[in-house]
Structure formats: structure tokens, C-alpha cells
Amino acid sequence: FGPKRVLSLPDGIAQSLEEYLGDGHECPSSGPQPGQMGMPFGDLCPECGQAAVVKEEGCSKCYNCGHSEC
């Protein structure tokens, strides 16, 4: 009811996220996530579990933790 009326399920989720993130809470992270700050999305890293493993020059390298496989 009123200005905070939920019009649909996606609207309710969006309102909840906006309320949660608007209170100064930040998503926990150990640094920039893949896709942010120009980092590409990739495969999952076996070391840190982030989707930051990309193929470069014949090797696989994780942009999050530096793990590499050649």
C-alpha cells in the first residue's frame, strides 16, 4: 500500500535490494570482481573459486588470485 507498494515479484526483489544496499551495506568481496574495472569474465579458478580464469598466450591465468596453468 502507498508509495512502497510492490507491483510484482521482480519489483519486490528490486525494492528489497535497493533498501539493503541503500543503507550503506556493501557486497563482501576481496577486491574487484570479474567484469568490473575492465576485468574479463572467465572460467572458475580452482584456487579462489572466482570466474576470472582466462586463456592468454596458451596458458590459463586467474585475474583474481594470479593462479596459472600452462
Side-chain angles (χ1 to χ4, degrees), residues 43-50 52-63 65-70:
D43 293 327
L44 292 179
C45 177
E47 293 290 318
C48 66
Q50 295 292 320
V53 176
V54 295
K55 288 263 191 193
E56 284 188 352
E57 300 174 359
C59 296
S60 296
K61 178 183 176 186
C62 177
Y63 276 96
C65 69
H67 175 78
S68 65
E69 297 175 358
C70 289

